[in-house]
Amino acid sequence: DAGVIQSPRHEVTEMGQEVTLRCKPISGHDYLFWYRQTMMRGLELLIYFNNNVPIDDSGMPEDRFSAKMPNASFSTLKIQPSEPRDSAVYFCASSSQDRGGGNTIYFGEGSWLTVV
Amino acid sequence: GENVEQHPSTLSVQEGDSAVIKCTYSDSASNYFPWYKQELGKGPQLIIDIRSNVGEKKDQRIAVTLNKTAKHFSLHITETQPEDSAVYFCAASIRSNSGYALNFGKGTSLLVTP
């Protein structure tokens, strides 16, 4: 199994530029999550999808952030325009259908974003 | 929503000693409690999990205990080794009508010194 695949692994961009982070979940998984990790706030849930449908986007910090999942094998997280405070590690994760008890969430290696 | 508190934020132990990390959660509906280990430059990886119908679970040197009444759960690592040094996160499930996700604690940076 290839695991959750994220790209790019590292990105440095200038303030005001658009940033697009990409994710390929584990094949067969129904859930896809986007988390952001910073020293101050830890791991924050931004948004998650079930069967390609956004379920909860209450963690998305503001309108500059958007996420899409056009099909079961691809998702994007977009920041437009980017700001220095968006600098963080962005993790994509996926999981199979919850059977009532919760299932393991598998994380990608993360996209390290620096906005200067 | 679910609030997960984790303590301590840093922990230093000598090789061979035990390490204990504690978490509390706020939502009594949470029923799944995983623990993740994150090494430098990598994504978090599941090391053990426990469900609400179980009070304790063990896997070799790692054990987790759950007290649903008090809403707290703990990770125990025995006979620690230098390779156990990492950041450990606890999490609790959060559910909506349409699905579930995990809320994480702030993490514990564990250092095992030889």
Side-chain angles (χ1 to χ4, degrees):
Chain A
D1 195 330
V4 176
I5 299 173
Q6 292 187 245
S7 65
R9 286 297 317 276
H10 299 90
E11 176 147 352
V12 180
T13 191
E14 290 187 345
M15 182 174 62
Q17 296 297 304
E18 177 179 291
V19 173
T20 300
L21 308 178
R22 298 173 176 78
C23 176
K24 177 178 166 50
I26 293 172
S27 177
H29 280 186
D30 306 280
Y31 282 86
L32 184 138
F33 309 85
W34 283 101
Y35 283 87
R36 177 173 69 176
Q37 185 175 36
T38 60
M39 287 294 293
M40 290 298 294
R41 301 171 73 91
L43 272 165
E44 300 174 275
L45 176 64
L46 300 178
I47 184 172
Y48 73 97
F49 297 82
N50 182 14
N51 291 318
N52 312 340
V53 175
I55 301 301
D56 186 350
D57 65 354
S58 59
M60 296 285 261
E62 47 197 275
D63 292 345
R64 297 184 297 106
F65 286 69
S66 62
K68 293 182 180 179
M69 192 166 186
N71 58 62
S73 59
F74 184 66
S75 176
T76 59
L77 178 67
K78 191 171 291 188
I79 308 172
Q80 167 63 18
S82 58
E83 296 181 4
R85 61 191 167 121
D86 301 331
S87 299
V89 184
Y90 291 82
F91 286 103
C92 177
S94 71
S95 174
S96 58
Q97 182 68 34
D98 175 30
R99 298 282 184 256
N103 280 341
T104 301
I105 292 179
Y106 296 87
F107 283 80
E109 295 288 82
S111 291
W112 296 63
L113 174 65
T114 302
V115 183
V116 297
Chain B
E2 175 69 275
N3 186 37
V4 180
E5 298 286 337
Q6 182 172 348
H7 301 279
S9 56
T10 60
L11 180 59
S12 182
V13 300
Q14 283 205 314
E15 183 177 0
D17 289 349
S18 295
V20 180
I21 303 171
K22 298 182 179 182
C23 288
T24 60
Y25 62 99
S26 59
D27 188 352
S28 56
S30 293
N31 59 2
Y32 175 61
F33 308 91
W35 286 86
Y36 284 78
K37 177 183 181 182
Q38 186 178 25
E39 296 177 336
L40 197 61
K42 297 193 173 183
Q45 285 199 306
L46 179 77
I47 54 171
I48 195 168
D49 57 15
I50 191 167
R51 301 180 192 277
S52 58
N53 57 348
V54 176
E56 184 173 357
K57 184 176 178 181
K58 191 172 180 181
D59 183 3
Q60 298 183 344
R61 296 185 298 108
I62 295 173
V64 58
T65 59
L66 171 65
N67 183 327
K68 281 223 78 179
T69 303
K71 290 192 238 174
H72 65 69
F73 55 113
S74 301
L75 177 71
H76 304 252
I77 306 174
T78 58
E79 300 171 31
T80 53
Q81 302 167 4
E83 50 266 39
D84 294 329
S85 297
V87 180
Y88 291 82
F89 293 93
C90 63
S93 59
I94 49 174
R95 300 184 63 85
S96 69
N97 289 335
S98 307
Y100 89 104
L102 293 176
N103 263 3
F104 285 83
K106 290 281 176 62
T108 297
S109 180
L110 173 64
L111 177 64
V112 181
T113 54

